[in-house]
C-alpha cells in the first residue's frame, strides 16, 4: 500500500470542472500511479482509460521522466527567461521543433493549453499588425470547439455554458458550424465521409466581413472534450485552402491531438494539413509538469524580426515560460516517445481499439460511436430531463470496477496511454460493456 495520508478536510479545495458537493459526499481519490494504472485511496487498482486527462501518453511514473525532473530540480530549480536564459529551454524547443511538421520551427512556451491558445491568438493579431495589416483583428472559431478557459479561448470556443455564465467575452469573433452530423455520419469508423463542404462556411464569413478584417481561424483538428468529433474527409484541407486564399492564419489546437494520440506525431501530420500556428500542452511533458507551447511557422516568426535588434519583438510571456523543470520533463518525454516508438505503437494498436469500440454498437443507451487513433467517443442517449446523469453513473461504476473513463454530457471518451496492451483494451471495453448493461 502506498504511504499517503488521506486528508480529513476536503472543503478548502474548490475543485475545477467538478460537482464539488457531489464529489465531496463520495470522493474518488487517486494516491499513486504506475504505467497503465492508478491506485485509489482504498488500494484498488484503476486502469487508466484516459491517460489521466488526455495527457500521460507514455503512461505513469516513467523513470526516465521522473529522474530528469529530480535531476533538474536539484540543479536549477528556476531561472528567468525574460532577458535571461537557461540551456534546457533552448534544448527542449529545438527538440520539439524537430518533431513539428513542415517549417513550424519556432516555439513559444506557456504553462497550459489555455495559455497556449491565448498566446496563439495574440501572435496572430500581432503578426498582421507587424506586416501593416492591423485591420485583421477578427477571430473565427467553431461551434463545439474547446480551447481552454482563458477569455480568448472561451470566446473562440463554442461551448454554450461559457457564453451563458461569462457573458460578453471577446467581440469580433465568428463561429464556423461544428461538423457533427449523426443523421449522416453515425457509427463512422475514423473520418466521416460527409461534411467537407462545411468548411465552405468560412467563405460565407469572409464575404460578410471581408478578408482584410480577419486574422485567424482556430479549430481542434479532432475535438476532444466536446465529445470526440472527428473531421470529415477533406474538411481540414478545404479550410487550409480557404485560409491561404484569403491570407487568414490557420491555427490547429493540438492540445489533445498531438504527441501520438492519433498514431502520428501531430494531427497536422496525420491529415497532411500544415497550419500556421499550432497549440500544444498535455503530452508535451507526459502530464508530469505543467507546460504548453505554440509552434510557429518560420515566415510568421520572421515577420516579427524586421525591426531594430534591441526591440522586444513580441510583448508577451509568462514568468514560467520555458520553466527548467518543465523543459527537462519535456526533453525526457520526447526521448521516451521516440525510444519506445509510441506514436507508431498507437497507430498499430488503433485498428484493434476501433474494432472494440464499434463492438459496443447495439448495447443499451448507445446512439453513436466515433473513433480515430487511440481515441473513442461513445455517445449515450440522455435520461429524459437529466442530461449527463447516465454517463456520470457509468463513470462512477467504471471507477468502482477499476476503470477510469471521462465523460462530457452523455458522451464517454476513451484515450488510454499509448503503452496500452491488447489485454488492457479488452479490459477497458469489457468493463464498459458490463457497466452499460447495468445502468438504467
Ligand atoms: N485546447 C484543447 C483542445 C484542450 O483539449 C485546452 C486547450 C486547455 O488546456 P489546459 O491545459 O489549459 O487545460 C484543452 C484542455 C476532457 C478535458 O476531459 C479536456 C481538457 C481539459 C480538461 C478535461 O475532455 N482539454
Amino acid at each position: 500500500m502506498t504511504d499517503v495520508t488521506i486528508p480529513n478536510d476536503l472543503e478548502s479545495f474548490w475543485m475545477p470542472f467538478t460537482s464539488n458537493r457531489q464529489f465531496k459526499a463520495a470522493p474518488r481519490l487517486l494516491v499513486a500511479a504506475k504505467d497503465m494504472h492508478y491506485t485509489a485511496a482504498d488500494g484498488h487498482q484503476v486502469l487508466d482509460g484516459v491517460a489521466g486527462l488526455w495527457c500521460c501518453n507514455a503512461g505513469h511514473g516513467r523513470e526516465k521522466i521522473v529522474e530528469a525532473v529530480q535531476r533538474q530540480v536539484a540543479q536549477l530549480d528556476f531561472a528567468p527567461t525574460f532577458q535571461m536564459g537557461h540551456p534546457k529551454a533552448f534544448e527542449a524547443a529545438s527538440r520539439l521543433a524537430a518533431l513539428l511538421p513542415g517549417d513550424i520551427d519556432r516555439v513559444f512556451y506557456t504553462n497550459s493549453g489555455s495559455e497556449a491558445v491565448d498566446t496563439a491568438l495574440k501572435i496572430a493579431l500581432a503578426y498582421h499588425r507587424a506586416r501593416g495589416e492591423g485591420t485583421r483583428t477578427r477571430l473565427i472559431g467553431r461551434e463545439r470547439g474547446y480551447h481552454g478557459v482563458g477569455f480568448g479561448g472561451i470566446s473562440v470556443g463554442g461551448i454554450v455554458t461559457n457564453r451563458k455564465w461569462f457573458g460578453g467575452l471577446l467581440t469580433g469573433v465568428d463561429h464556423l458550424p461544428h461538423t457533427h452530423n449523426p443523421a449522416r455520419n453515425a457509427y463512422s469508423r475514423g473520418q466521416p465521409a460527409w461534411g467537407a463542404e462545411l468548411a465552405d462556411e468560412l467563405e460565407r464569413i469572409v464575404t460578410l466581413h471581408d478578408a482584410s478584417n480577419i486574422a485567424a481561424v482556430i479549430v481542434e483538428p479532432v475535438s476532444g472534450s466536446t465529445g470526440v468529433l472527428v473531421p470529415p474527409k477533406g474538411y481540414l484541407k478545404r479550410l487550409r485552402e480557404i485560409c491561404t486564399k484569403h491570407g487568414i492564419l490557420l491555427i490547429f489546437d493540438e492540445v489533445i491531438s498531438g504527441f501520438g494520440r492519433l498514431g502520428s506525431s501531430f494531427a497536422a501530420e496525420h491529415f497532411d494539413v500544415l497550419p500556421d500556428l499550432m497549440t500544444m500542452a498535455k503530452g508535451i511533458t507526459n502530464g508530469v509538469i505543467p507546460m504548453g507551447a505554440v509552434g510557429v511557422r518560420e515566415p510568421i516568426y520572421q515577420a516579427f524580426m524586421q525591426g531594430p535588434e534591441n526591440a522586444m519583438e513580441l510583448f508577451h510571456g509568462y514568468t514560467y515560460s520555458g520553466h527548467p523543470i518543465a523543459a527537462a520533463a519535456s526533453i525526457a518525454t520526447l526521448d521516451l516517445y521516440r525510444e519506445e516508438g509510441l506514436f507508431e505503437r498507437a497507430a498499430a494498436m488503433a485498428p484493434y481499439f476501433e474494432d472494440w469500440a464499434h463492438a459496443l454498437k447495439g448495447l443499451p443507451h448507445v446512439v453513436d460511436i466515433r473513433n480515430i487513433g487511440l481515441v473513442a467517443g461513445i455517445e449515450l442517449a440522455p435520461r429524459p430531463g437529466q442530461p449527463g446523469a447516465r454517463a456520470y453513473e457509468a463513470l462512477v461504476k467504471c471507477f468502482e470496477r477499476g476503470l477510469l473513463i471521462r465523460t462530457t454530457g452523455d458522451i464517454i471518451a476513451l484515450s488510454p496511454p499509448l503503452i496500452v496492451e491488447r489485454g488492457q483494451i479488452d479490459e477497458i471495453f469489457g468493463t464498459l460493456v458490463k457497466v452499460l448493461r447495468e445502468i438504467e
Side-chain angles (χ1 to χ4, degrees), residues 117 120-121 124 139 147 216-221 243 249-253 275-279 294:
V117 166
L121 297 176
L139 301 168
H147 301 293
V217 170
I218 181 167
V219 292
E220 300 156 276
C243 284
L249 297 181
L250 178 61
I251 306 171
F252 275 0
D253 185 344
D276 298 298
L277 298 161
M278 188 191 276
T279 53
V294 182

Side-chain angles (χ1 to χ4, degrees), residues 53-54 112-114 146-148 220 225 253 255-256 282 406:
L53 216 44
W54 312 78
S112 66
S114 300
Y146 182 67
H147 301 293
E220 300 156 276
S225 5
D253 185 344
V255 166
I256 278 181
K282 297 192 187 264
R406 260 305 277 173

Side-chain angles (χ1 to χ4, degrees), residues 116-140:
V117 166
D118 276 15
T119 299
L121 297 176
K122 288 173 78 173
I123 291 175
L125 295 176
Y127 163 77
H128 291 299
R129 193 185 170 93
R131 297 172 70 245
E133 291 191 72
T135 58
R136 286 189 180 263
T137 57
R138 297 193 75 87
L139 301 168
I140 300 171

Side-chain angles (χ1 to χ4, degrees), residues 1-8 29-33 39-43:
M1 198 27 214
T2 317
D3 178 25
V4 281
T5 308
I6 305 302
N8 56 19
L29 296 182
L30 305 170
V31 298
T39 305
D42 63 2

